[in-house]
Amino acid sequence: IINLYVGGGWNLSWSSRAAEEAEAVAAISCSGHGRAYLDGLVLDDEKQPLCECNTCYSGPDCSQFIPNCAADADEGDPLFLEPFWIQHAANSAVLVAGWHRMSYSYNDKTVISKVLEKHIRKLHSLVGNAVTEDRFIIFGTGSTQVISAAVHALSPDNASSPARVVASIPYYSLYREQTDYFESMHFKFEGDASPWINTTNTSSTNLIEFVTSPNNPDGQLNKAVLHGPYVKAIHDLAYYWPHFTPIPAPADEDLMTFTLSKLTGHAGTRFGWAVIKKKSVYERMTMHMELNTMGVSRDSQLRALKLLKVILEGKGREIFEFGYKTMKARWEILNQTLSLSNRFSLQKIPPQYCTFFQEFRESSPAYAWLKCEREEEKDCYAVLKAANIIGRRGYMFSAEDRYVRLSMIKSRDDFDALIERLKELVSEEESVVKGT
Amino acid sequence: IINLYVGGGWNLSWSSRAAEEAEAVAAISCSGHGRAYLDGLVLDDEKQPLCECNTCYSGPDCSQFIPNCAADADEGDPLFLEPFWIQHAANSAVLVAGWHRMSYSYNDKTVISKVLEKHIRKLHSLVGNAVTEDRFIIFGTGSTQVISAAVHALSPDNASSPARVVASIPYYSLYREQTDYFESMHFKFEGDASPWINTTNTSSTNLIEFVTSPNNPDGQLNKAVLHGPYVKAIHDLAYYWPHFTPIPAPADEDLMTFTLSKLTGHAGTRFGWAVIKKKSVYERMTMHMELNTMGVSRDSQLRALKLLKVILEGKGREIFEFGYKTMKARWEILNQTLSLSNRFSLQKIPPQYCTFFQEFRESSPAYAWLKCEREEEKDCYAVLKAANIIGRRGYMFSAEDRYVRLSMIKSRDDFDALIERLKELVSEEESVVKGT
């Protein structure tokens, strides 16, 4: 490998081909309604990857709007942050050499990059959303794997009956799906936390409570509802970032989980982490990661590091201003759109003082938790579906189907389509009112 | 983003910083006995990451040999392929844009890159080591996750007793460790397969047999030993590549697992896959990946794609010639080193016709399965340890401690140190013989 340092910069040698490939792909025009990727499909007679179009667009350059296409507000795909990374293209790109980190372990024989860990601690301290001093940190392949490891680690090894895993309704369905799937002699999903509230002092049942704050789906800053000698909690703080909520104080719980997905928007990188007080829990979760996947992809760790560096360079102001502004604007537009409706209502989240922005801030939730108010409209998902809107039914969150979750964190195109469809729905309502 | 195409190449804009960073790191000299990485530790008063030295070297540029340092032949860290990727620097580098694949899913709503899947099929067909036509392919975070998914998927849902997971001794310890850890109502690790050989026709116990070929630790081309209506098998073909074994014929089993780690040497990328005949098994394994980690890091998939492209460009000849030559030379040196010893012996693996190289080939195993031949030396690990060699004890493979596995796939420095220590051991033996 020959490198020449010429004047003010490197005269690139081995890396230039990869850089050129990436720029060529980035230069493919998809009309702002799609994107071409380095690993996209290439047709046999073409050299360049095809445009991958957003939901309501098609054509070779994604320029054709598909009329009457459904507005998809189902998934929590955090593409609202994509424009931020396009704006910070130069700082956020990573060139991975062919021989980068081939080994199973870093230099210290672990599967965790200590440099990345340090950056995570710095970020929490900057944002003020979690205490990390004297805490252990482990990584997982998305917070998906982290919460699974946490359930395993908090379950007693030698109890006569499995720990019951519970959460306050409405809750994120993965808790149920994942715990059911991995059910063992040590833990079992039980569902609603509320029946246990008055029993924790008298019963010796081991309980593991998922506490999600802000909550998915409804954005509330939940607190644990169960307390007692046999109760443990997993605090899922995926959304506890200034994009989505004022940060009243640093969280200081025994076990807190986070994910890159809802911080930088990189869901595809599959990177999550936990901040842990107890050494024994940390050790069990570390063992889980070793036996399940031998740790997290070193490529994901490299990418996460680069992204966190960009955030830290801007002292967090840039990305969180961008995220908050975007989410706040969307929430306002949605509220405005539904303001004349008697048929639909949205959750209310009180404003709070945000220690990061150092001012009172309105909420800017990741999801709308929409309620169909008409007595007869018990299946709110179907009501929206009929209006060409795909939400996620309340049932998925163990709540009434009178509720639907609408994702506000997808791409601009998805959000625009959602608002268009909702406007149509609300205007029908008005014309019916006027008609009577 | 502005891109200019000038003359014969791109005038790089946003990507050049990343490219320069990578080249600057690659240019750091670590004396050939270590390496600096983009995400390496940077001291406060320095700009560049520190050299990370190989086992027996130290100093800021890894130039200081540590006398009497232990030869570490424990882990199966496939660094023997690192020089290949350094030789192919230009082709194997990937530049990842900040906005690359942020979404949870690819364009087809799955978590699997169809382009990468196509390349994997092409590679198997080129090498001739596995039938993939009309088979399903799933990805995992290393074959570690793939085999765990396979055990879950092959276990009966509604049996009165759990499926017993077995393997022929000696076997890779992860099968036991992982299956024990995730033990459920559906499966349980049982250990040695041989007691079941004569029962499979009469008993209705569900059995899952791990068949590893070439076997870890001893390199033998194992076949399934259990057959019957209640028997299922997981064929772990991690080492079934021309680096390590002649390829007599394409494997055509119901469930076969592979890993990038032993193909390209990228253990850190955590990428494995399975080739599966039955749709129902494929669907269960897909569900496993979704609930466990929501699929494999898209960054790992991008990197795997790039590496496979390099292999396919060279029609596989380049990497497999390199891998075979390296492993074959090491095996010869090891055999030569021990040829005068009566105290230690190595496994024998018969030569076979290799359909990929189209000629008879000697074996070139990933591991030496060393036996201490002296009656009194029952703890072979301790014998080697006393001679400053770290192997992996037979017990770890559920075998006698008279055996030790020595890894031959680590870096050149590791292998050289191993041979040095072994030479000393064998020469002691000679001098004792001469002395009597």
Side-chain angles (χ1 to χ4, degrees):
Chain A
I1 302 162
I2 304 161
N3 291 284
L4 300 170
Y5 189 78
V6 195
W10 287 90
N11 193 355
L12 297 177
S13 68
W14 58 271
S15 72
S16 54
R17 181 170 152 181
E20 285 166 16
E21 278 175 5
E23 295 216 6
V25 168
I28 295 171
S29 165
C30 305
S31 314
H33 301 296
R35 194 156 299 290
Y37 295 102
L38 209 46
D39 55 359
L41 193 66
V42 180
L43 291 187
D44 287 342
D45 50 346
E46 300 275 340
K47 278 191 162 172
Q48 292 200 318
L50 299 175
C51 280
E52 302 183 12
C53 302
N54 294 348
T55 315
C56 290
Y57 292 84
S58 72
D61 64 350
C62 304
S63 61
Q64 289 159 29
F65 182 72
I66 304 171
N68 306 317
C69 104
D72 187 344
D74 178 12
E75 269 200 287
D77 223 5
L79 289 173
F80 76 104
L81 285 164
E82 198 187 59
F84 179 84
W85 297 108
I86 292 173
Q87 283 166 27
H88 292 77
N91 291 4
S92 61
V94 190
L95 193 137
V96 190
W99 60 88
H100 178 77
R101 296 271 179 218
M102 293 176 66
S103 175
Y104 280 106
S105 47
Y106 291 91
N107 213 25
D108 62 356
K109 305 271 177 195
T110 74
V111 295
I112 282 194
S113 159
K114 288 296 164 299
V115 175
L116 176 53
E117 187 188 321
K118 233 169 93 178
H119 280 75
I120 287 174
R121 288 178 193 274
K122 250 191 217 167
L123 179 68
H124 281 303
S125 142
L126 177 78
V127 176
N129 67 338
V131 174
T132 62
E133 289 80 20
D134 301 320
R135 303 289 186 277
F136 300 97
I137 288 185
I138 64 122
F139 300 166
T141 307
S143 63
T144 312
Q145 192 187 20
V146 176
I147 63 177
S148 178
V151 169
H152 278 84
L154 295 182
S155 298
D157 239 349
N158 294 314
S160 57
S161 73
R164 309 303 157 113
V165 179
V166 299
S168 290
I169 292 171
Y171 57 79
Y172 178 38
S173 62
L174 185 78
Y175 303 150
R176 172 177 48 76
E177 293 158 356
Q178 188 184 66
T179 311
D180 274 347
Y181 182 80
F182 286 105
E183 182 176 323
S184 75
M185 284 66 95
H186 310 301
F187 58 82
K188 177 184 176 57
F189 195 72
E190 185 82 9
D192 189 10
S194 60
W196 297 89
I197 291 176
N198 295 321
T199 71
T200 51
N201 284 324
T202 51
S203 115
S204 62
T205 304
N206 287 295
L207 291 165
I208 298 171
E209 182 188 358
F210 273 109
V211 184
T212 317
S213 180
N215 193 36
N216 174 1
D218 63 10
Q220 306 297 335
L221 288 175
N222 282 354
K223 304 262 177 237
V225 299
L226 305 183
H227 307 277
Y230 296 97
V231 178
K232 284 165 180 161
I234 299 167
H235 286 260
D236 181 344
L237 304 183
Y239 300 89
Y240 198 51
W241 297 104
H243 308 311
F244 309 114
T245 177
I247 307 291
D252 185 18
E253 309 290 348
D254 285 1
L255 202 172
M256 305 181 278
T257 68
F258 294 91
T259 166
L260 196 68
S261 167
K262 301 305 184 289
L263 163 61
T264 69
H266 293 78
T269 293
R270 311 307 308 127
F271 183 82
W273 66 96
V275 179
I276 305 158
K277 252 184 210 167
K278 269 179 91 172
K279 193 173 182 197
S280 59
V281 173
Y282 160 73
E283 282 168 350
R284 289 183 72 176
M285 288 179 74
T286 299
M287 188 172 73
H288 184 103
M289 297 309 177
E290 297 266 351
L291 291 176
N292 192 195
T293 57
M294 291 195 190
V296 176
S297 161
R298 315 316 172 237
D299 302 283
S300 298
Q301 296 192 41
L302 174 65
R303 189 123 187 256
L305 177 64
K306 187 63 169 183
L307 300 169
L308 294 198
K309 277 183 178 170
V310 175
I311 297 181
L312 290 168
E313 274 169 26
K315 301 233 153 113
R317 306 298 300 191
E318 287 183 71
I319 191 166
F320 294 120
E321 290 282 9
F322 179 95
Y324 177 72
K325 242 175 75 182
T326 307
M327 294 310 300
K328 182 70 188 344
R330 290 185 180 187
W331 184 236
E332 279 172 1
I333 292 166
L334 181 71
N335 273 275
Q336 214 174 344
T337 305
L338 298 179
S339 61
L340 293 176
S341 172
N342 295 312
R343 193 178 181 189
F344 305 108
S345 69
L346 294 170
Q347 79 265 40
K348 303 264 176 285
I349 310 172
Q352 286 208 48
Y353 187 78
C354 176
T355 53
F356 176 72
F357 286 124
Q358 299 191 300
E359 59 183 26
F360 272 84
R361 288 255 162 162
E362 296 287 330
S363 65
S364 48
Y367 306 106
W369 187 232
L370 186 90
K371 186 180 179 185
C372 279
E373 293 284 354
R374 287 182 189 162
E375 179 54 34
E376 69 277 18
E377 290 183 342
K378 291 192 167 70
D379 186 350
C380 194
Y381 174 82
V383 169
L384 294 178
K385 189 80 200 307
N388 232 349
I389 297 166
I390 303 167
R392 190 170 286 184
R393 51 170 80 251
Y395 173 80
M396 287 296 289
F397 305 90
S398 304
E400 283 177 70
D401 268 342
R402 186 171 288 289
Y403 291 90
V404 166
R405 188 190 81 171
L406 297 177
S407 174
M408 316 265 290
I409 58 180
K410 297 180 73 180
S411 73
R412 173 76 191 267
D413 279 345
D414 283 316
F415 181 72
D416 288 349
L418 171 66
I419 293 298
E420 277 319 300
R421 295 282 170 280
L422 283 173
K423 275 188 182 155
E424 288 163 19
L425 245 183
V426 173
S427 72
E428 276 172 35
E429 201 180 325
E430 281 167 22
S431 52
V432 171
V433 173
K434 279 178 195 149
T436 56
Chain B
I1 302 161
I2 303 159
N3 291 283
L4 300 169
Y5 190 79
V6 195
W10 286 90
N11 193 355
L12 295 178
S13 68
W14 58 271
S15 72
S16 55
R17 181 168 152 182
E20 284 167 16
E21 278 175 6
E23 294 215 8
V25 168
I28 296 170
S29 166
C30 304
S31 312
H33 300 296
R35 193 157 299 291
Y37 294 102
L38 209 46
D39 55 359
L41 192 66
V42 180
L43 292 186
D44 287 339
D45 50 345
E46 299 276 340
K47 279 191 162 175
Q48 291 200 319
L50 299 175
C51 280
E52 303 181 13
C53 302
N54 293 347
T55 315
C56 290
Y57 291 84
S58 72
D61 64 349
C62 304
S63 61
Q64 290 159 29
F65 182 73
I66 305 171
N68 305 319
C69 104
D72 187 344
D74 178 11
E75 269 200 287
D77 223 6
L79 289 173
F80 76 104
L81 285 163
E82 198 187 60
F84 179 84
W85 296 108
I86 292 173
Q87 284 165 28
H88 292 76
N91 292 3
S92 61
V94 189
L95 192 136
V96 190
W99 61 88
H100 178 77
R101 297 269 180 221
M102 293 174 66
S103 175
Y104 280 106
S105 47
Y106 290 91
N107 212 25
D108 62 356
K109 306 272 175 192
T110 73
V111 295
I112 282 194
S113 159
K114 288 296 164 300
V115 175
L116 176 53
E117 187 188 323
K118 234 170 92 179
H119 280 76
I120 288 174
R121 289 178 193 275
K122 250 192 216 166
L123 179 67
H124 281 303
S125 141
L126 177 78
V127 176
N129 67 337
V131 174
T132 63
E133 288 81 18
D134 301 319
R135 302 290 186 277
F136 300 97
I137 289 184
I138 64 122
F139 299 166
T141 306
S143 62
T144 313
Q145 192 187 20
V146 176
I147 63 176
S148 177
V151 169
H152 278 85
L154 294 182
S155 299
D157 239 349
N158 294 314
S160 56
S161 72
R164 310 302 158 112
V165 179
V166 299
S168 289
I169 292 170
Y171 56 81
Y172 178 38
S173 63
L174 185 78
Y175 303 150
R176 172 176 49 75
E177 293 158 356
Q178 187 184 67
T179 311
D180 274 348
Y181 181 80
F182 287 105
E183 181 176 322
S184 76
M185 284 67 95
H186 309 301
F187 58 82
K188 178 185 175 58
F189 194 72
E190 185 82 12
D192 190 9
S194 59
W196 296 90
I197 290 176
N198 295 321
T199 71
T200 50
N201 284 324
T202 52
S203 113
S204 63
T205 304
N206 287 294
L207 292 164
I208 297 172
E209 182 187 0
F210 273 108
V211 184
T212 316
S213 178
N215 193 36
N216 174 2
D218 63 9
Q220 305 297 335
L221 288 174
N222 282 355
K223 302 263 178 237
V225 298
L226 305 183
H227 306 276
Y230 297 97
V231 178
K232 284 162 180 162
I234 298 167
H235 286 260
D236 181 343
L237 304 183
Y239 300 89
Y240 198 50
W241 297 104
H243 308 313
F244 309 113
T245 176
I247 307 292
D252 185 16
E253 308 291 349
D254 286 2
L255 203 170
M256 305 182 280
T257 68
F258 295 90
T259 166
L260 196 67
S261 167
K262 300 306 183 290
L263 164 60
T264 69
H266 292 78
T269 293
R270 311 308 307 127
F271 183 81
W273 66 97
V275 179
I276 306 159
K277 252 185 211 168
K278 269 179 92 172
K279 194 173 180 197
S280 59
V281 173
Y282 161 73
E283 282 167 350
R284 289 183 72 175
M285 289 179 75
T286 299
M287 189 171 76
H288 184 102
M289 297 309 177
E290 297 266 351
L291 291 176
N292 192 194
T293 57
M294 292 197 190
V296 176
S297 161
R298 314 316 172 238
D299 302 283
S300 298
Q301 296 193 42
L302 174 66
R303 188 125 187 254
L305 177 64
K306 188 63 169 182
L307 300 168
L308 294 199
K309 277 182 178 170
V310 175
I311 298 181
L312 289 168
E313 275 168 26
K315 300 234 152 112
R317 305 300 299 192
E318 287 183 72
I319 192 167
F320 294 120
E321 291 281 11
F322 179 95
Y324 176 74
K325 243 175 75 181
T326 307
M327 295 310 301
K328 182 72 188 343
R330 290 185 180 186
W331 186 236
E332 280 171 2
I333 292 165
L334 180 70
N335 272 275
Q336 215 174 344
T337 306
L338 298 179
S339 60
L340 294 176
S341 172
N342 295 311
R343 191 178 181 189
F344 305 108
S345 69
L346 295 170
Q347 80 265 40
K348 303 263 176 286
I349 309 172
Q352 285 208 51
Y353 187 76
C354 175
T355 53
F356 175 72
F357 286 124
Q358 299 192 299
E359 58 184 27
F360 272 84
R361 288 255 163 161
E362 297 287 330
S363 66
S364 47
Y367 305 106
W369 187 231
L370 186 90
K371 187 179 179 186
C372 278
E373 293 283 354
R374 288 181 187 163
E375 178 54 33
E376 69 277 18
E377 291 183 341
K378 290 193 169 68
D379 185 350
C380 194
Y381 173 83
V383 170
L384 294 178
K385 189 79 201 305
N388 233 346
I389 296 167
I390 303 168
R392 190 169 286 185
R393 51 170 80 253
Y395 173 79
M396 287 296 288
F397 304 89
S398 305
E400 282 176 69
D401 267 343
R402 185 171 287 289
Y403 290 91
V404 166
R405 188 191 80 172
L406 298 176
S407 174
M408 315 266 289
I409 58 180
K410 297 181 73 179
S411 72
R412 172 74 190 269
D413 279 346
D414 283 315
F415 181 73
D416 288 349
L418 171 67
I419 293 298
E420 276 320 300
R421 297 282 170 279
L422 283 173
K423 274 187 183 155
E424 288 162 21
L425 245 185
V426 174
S427 73
E428 278 173 34
E429 198 181 327
E430 280 169 22
S431 52
V432 170
V433 173
K434 280 178 192 148
T436 56

